[in-house]
Structures are given as structure tokens and as C-alpha cells.
Amino acid sequence: MTVKKISYFRSNPSTKETITILDCGYHETLHGHYSTQKAVDHFVLHIIVSGKGTYQLREQTYHLQKNDCFVLFPHVPICYQSDPQDPWVYYWVGFDGTDALEIMQLCNITYQLPILHYDSTTELANIIKPLVDLNTASISDSYFALGQFYALCSRLMQYNQNIKPLTRKEYYVSQAVSLIENSYFKNISVQSISDAVGLERTYLYRIFKEITGVTIQEYLTDLKLKRARYFLTNSDFSCADIAYYCGYLSEQYFSMAFKKKTGLSPSLYRQKALSDRSFHTKEE
């Protein structure tokens, strides 16, 4: 039988906190239990205290166990599953805010590498446990939760204190990449990215290509279409819905961009992906 406990928190409208704690929880999962959520609208840090499982993100599968942590990023398709023989047990904390992404980066958790090993996740879990055991939802509890969250992140940052600091150029490009990956579905433009980062457009364009090897527009387009391929292969969303979720103004424009990149229309790509999957399943 699964055991699951959750505490919810509320923000204080009289303050302007850059981090808001939404919920904390504890979950003893069933053997082979799949996550029910396909995407979330905030950040969720999981701390595994026993057992094993897998976390799938962007066509990458991570095999995790005790003393590992993983993060769910907002609006990014996800799937995670406990091991059939040794199901994992974890604590989690859900949070959001303007500083959320930067804090995760300081903990050495990024979109590119959403996992982290820590020598003793029991130590981290002991920070979260008092929040899970709360049975009220007062403003004071919310501030207590915020303090515990910062204590948790402080441990993770100390653990990764030997990370090589970014150069000034790398910092600006990192900010641009973070903005793109967190806002690609909002139909953002190169100019809006430049304005948000605080650099002149041509300078950001130059250093972005210097660091990443591609232009901002190429990076943005590749990200949108990668998300689209995932939705086409792993969901029953219509092409119109996928176009919307990936930040395209119209299904027609999405279809043109997709075909230019892959050589196939979205519908044909989905048919081929499903056909290939069916073929491999039969072979197995």
C-alpha cells in the first residue's frame, strides 16, 4: 500500500518574495508506480531516501537511487517510475518564483542535467520532514517553509562549491538559455530575450553563437521542435494544440517549420513514430 503525505502552503500577498513554497511531501511508492503528472507548472525538487527508479526527460533516461535528487522543471514533459522490485521513497518540495531557476543553477541542477548526487539525502530529508508533518497552512508556516527551503539549498550549494564560476559572457548566455527554456512556449522573440538579459541585441547574438555554436533563433526553433516531436510521439494532443503548447501562433506556421526541419509534416511524423514503435513492440 502506498503512503503519501502532503502539506500545502500559501504566499503572503503583502510581501514580494522571489521564492514561494507551494507544497512539501513524502511518498512511499508502489512497485513500478508511474508518475501521474505529465508536466508541472512549477519547480519540484525530489530527494530519494531509499529504493530505485527512473526519470525520463527530453528523451534521456536517468537511473536513480538513494542519495540522488532530481528536479521537475515547469512546462517540461516528464515521466518518472519507481523500480518494480525496489520502489523508491522520496521527499519533495514544490516551489516557484523569479529566483527559482537561478537557485537551482547554483545547486548545479540545470535543464541539461536535472539530477544531483548528495552523500546523505537523509540529511536533506530531515530539513523537509518538519514541513511535511505540519497540519496547518498559516502565513508563519509559509515563512518557516521558505527558511527550510533556503537551508536545503544552502547544503546543496556547499556540496557544489567547487563549481567553476562562469565568465561574464557565459553568464549572459546562461541567462538567455534559461529564459528560452522557461518561456519558449510564450512565442518570445530575440529582441525580448535581449531586453530581458539587458544586452544590446547584436552583442548578445554574437556571444550566444560564440558560446553555443548556434544563433538564438536556431536554439529557440530547435527547442520548440524537439518539444513538438516529444508531444507527437508521447501524447494524443492534436497538432493545433501542440503548435500552441510549443509557442507557435498558428498550426500552419508550425507545420511549415516542422517539415522544414524534419522533412515530414507533423501528422506523418506521428504516424511513422507510432508505426516504428508498434513494429519494435511486435519484434520483442
Side-chain angles (χ1 to χ4, degrees), residues 104-235:
M104 287 297 94
Q105 290 172 337
L106 291 172
C107 295
N108 202 28
I109 298 174
T110 66
Y111 283 100
Q112 291 74 28
L113 189 63
I115 63 171
L116 177 71
H117 182 80
Y118 192 83
D119 284 343
S120 175
T121 47
T122 301
E123 176 187 339
L124 302 178
N126 286 338
I127 299 175
I128 299 298
K129 189 176 184 300
L131 304 179
V132 179
D133 293 337
L134 289 173
N135 55 14
T136 62
S138 66
I139 291 297
S140 62
D141 288 338
S142 296
Y143 279 106
F144 176 52
L146 186 61
Q148 294 298 95
F149 174 76
Y150 281 128
L152 173 66
C153 291
S154 175
R155 300 288 179 87
L156 294 177
M157 290 176 194
Q158 290 172 8
Y159 189 79
N160 291 279
Q161 62 185 341
N162 294 323
I163 300 172
K164 179 183 176 183
L166 298 177
T167 65
R168 192 168 183 80
K169 287 182 180 179
E170 288 172 337
Y171 170 78
Y172 282 122
V173 171
S174 174
Q175 292 295 299
V177 167
S178 297
L179 181 63
I180 292 169
E181 298 205 347
N182 206 31
S183 307
Y184 72 93
F185 52 90
K186 297 179 180 178
N187 191 38
I188 56 175
S189 66
V190 176
Q191 186 61 57
S192 65
I193 296 169
S194 302
D195 293 341
V197 173
L199 291 179
E200 197 272 328
R201 175 174 174 164
T202 55
Y203 178 67
L204 178 61
Y205 179 95
R206 179 166 61 81
I207 64 172
F208 192 97
K209 188 167 185 179
E210 177 185 329
I211 299 296
T212 67
V214 296
T215 66
I216 296 176
Q217 189 59 56
E218 288 170 338
Y219 190 96
L220 178 58
T221 299
D222 287 346
L223 180 60
K224 286 183 175 183
L225 295 181
K226 187 173 183 179
R227 297 288 193 278
R229 290 196 296 273
Y230 179 91
F231 282 129
L232 287 167
T233 306
N234 296 281
S235 79

Side-chain angles (χ1 to χ4, degrees), residues 19-35:
I19 290 292
T20 299
I21 308 304
L22 303 175
D23 56 54
C24 293
Y26 170 80
H27 195 184
E28 296 177 12
T29 60
L30 295 172
H31 295 74
H33 173 78
Y34 273 100
S35 57

